[in-house]
Amino acid sequence: MLVALSLTLLGCTELPRRPDPPAGAAEATLPGFRETVRYIDESQATFRMRSQRVTAQLQQANGERPINMLALSGGGAGGSFGAGVLVGWSRQGTRPDFDIVTGVSVGALYAPFAFLGSSWDDQLVQAFPRSRLEHLLQRSLLTTLFGASLYRGKPLHDLVDGFVTAQLLQAVARESSKGRLLLVATTDLDKQATVIWDLGAIARQGDEPARRLFRDVLIAAASIPGIFPPVMIQVQRAGSSFEEMHADGGTTASLFVAPEAALFPMESVRWLHGYNLYVIINGQLGGTQQTTRLGTLPIIKRGLDAMTHSALRAEFALAYGFAIHNGMNVHVASIPDQYPYGDTLDFGYEHVRALFDYAQGCAAGGEVWISPGDAAAEAIQAGISAANDRPSCPAASLAPPPASGTGSAPVQTADTAP
């Protein structure tokens, strides 16, 4: 009877909110911000204009040096893999400075540290302490029945608020002023649209409202709908105030390399030719098998894993096709299928730390990067790999792939990857 009553209450409960802006969300502005800090529903013409502006900006800052781009995917607890890759890469001594960094979901949370470079590795590790990770998922009956999520939002809010400091904002603003880009994605749930936020533009404003918006965007970027509460962002349009409901960018894009205006149909972006694209996938591209326990939460978590996994493979295929089409040099790092990963919501410290240490060791030894062809083969493999307690590094057992044929993107093999 108690369960039936709880489900009835849950189905009938709605929290009051102000309406979202009417059609034409791109015209809505954020009060107090002097410049454009986000991009919504870009047309192909708008994308071309902005890409030309970005090209000129990057070329002025870098001259003839090839541009390095880093894309960080979603993946929940798998984010410790990407963090470990960055720290191990620094140890190896070959990690480049990135001109463009994009982040989705958990990738958005550590994207600012990736953007700021190897000198911020200590801050990256300290930003996700054991005390906060182990208490990230906090449930309460009131939150479940009368709130907007299964878990409380305060632990995630406190985690992000703790590392989005004035010092971090100043550093991002300083690097952004050189022409570099730090972009993360959220999802406007009302319009089911991906919103791309220019965190550098937000940081350049430099005041406390800018710090709060920077923080709120990161929280929203990682707030899985129904798992964590969404973030309400105030906007203005035609003199009226509205609320936008923003949640995990992975809801609409598990991996962000280019806006939809460039991907559908496949846009030719000439200035990308010869650029280096590094993709860190905080998940497994192939299938993994495990027995799903009977129970509401285990089934929800396993279903969430399956949806995330499927979307990530599709987004990777799209990004790979875009890179090939535009002649980019592609390097991929992902959690191998043989690694005993668990699930995306397993934030137990031992699990997270083990994955971080594994990725750090592989990256420091130069065995984390594989060719996009090998990554694609993992993504479409027919079999299901069995987890191994002592998995080898992603590139350890791979032979160098054959030279790419005409029309293929230049790739680096495991032996020559950074």
Side-chain angles (χ1 to χ4, degrees), residues 135-145 147-156 223-230 296-298 300-301 304 343 345-347:
H135 298 91
L136 193 58
L137 301 181
Q138 293 184 7
R139 297 176 63 196
S140 74
L141 184 60
L142 289 178
T143 298
T144 302
L145 292 180
S149 60
L150 286 174
Y151 297 101
R152 298 174 61 225
K154 189 174 185 303
L156 178 60
S223 294
I224 305 169
I227 301 298
F228 294 108
T296 302
L297 273 181
I300 288 175
K301 287 182 177 180
L304 180 64
D343 63 62
L345 294 181
D346 184 356
F347 290 100

Side-chain angles (χ1 to χ4, degrees), residues 81-117:
F81 173 79
V85 168
L86 290 175
V87 175
W89 200 358
S90 296
R91 284 177 50 198
Q92 191 198 22
T94 58
R95 177 175 159 187
D97 291 327
F98 299 109
D99 304 283
I100 304 173
V101 174
T102 71
V104 174
S105 194
V106 70
L109 290 186
Y110 68 91
F113 300 100
F115 180 74
L116 293 176

Side-chain angles (χ1 to χ4, degrees), residues 185-262:
T186 64
T187 296
D188 183 333
L189 286 181
D190 294 313
K191 296 177 175 57
Q192 298 181 333
T194 302
V195 180
I196 301 167
W197 297 83
D198 185 341
L199 293 186
I202 296 174
R204 288 197 300 271
Q205 178 135 328
D207 52 16
E208 178 56 22
R211 191 196 75 84
R212 289 198 298 268
L213 179 61
F214 194 106
R215 174 201 65 195
D216 290 347
V217 167
L218 290 183
I219 294 172
S223 294
I224 305 169
I227 301 298
F228 294 108
V231 174
M232 311 306 295
I233 294 181
Q234 307 298 319
V235 298
Q236 291 180 339
R237 184 173 183 266
S240 299
S241 295
F242 299 92
E243 279 185 337
E244 291 180 344
M245 181 181 285
H246 286 262
D248 190 342
T251 309
T252 50
S254 300
L255 180 67
F256 170 58
V257 171
E260 288 185 355

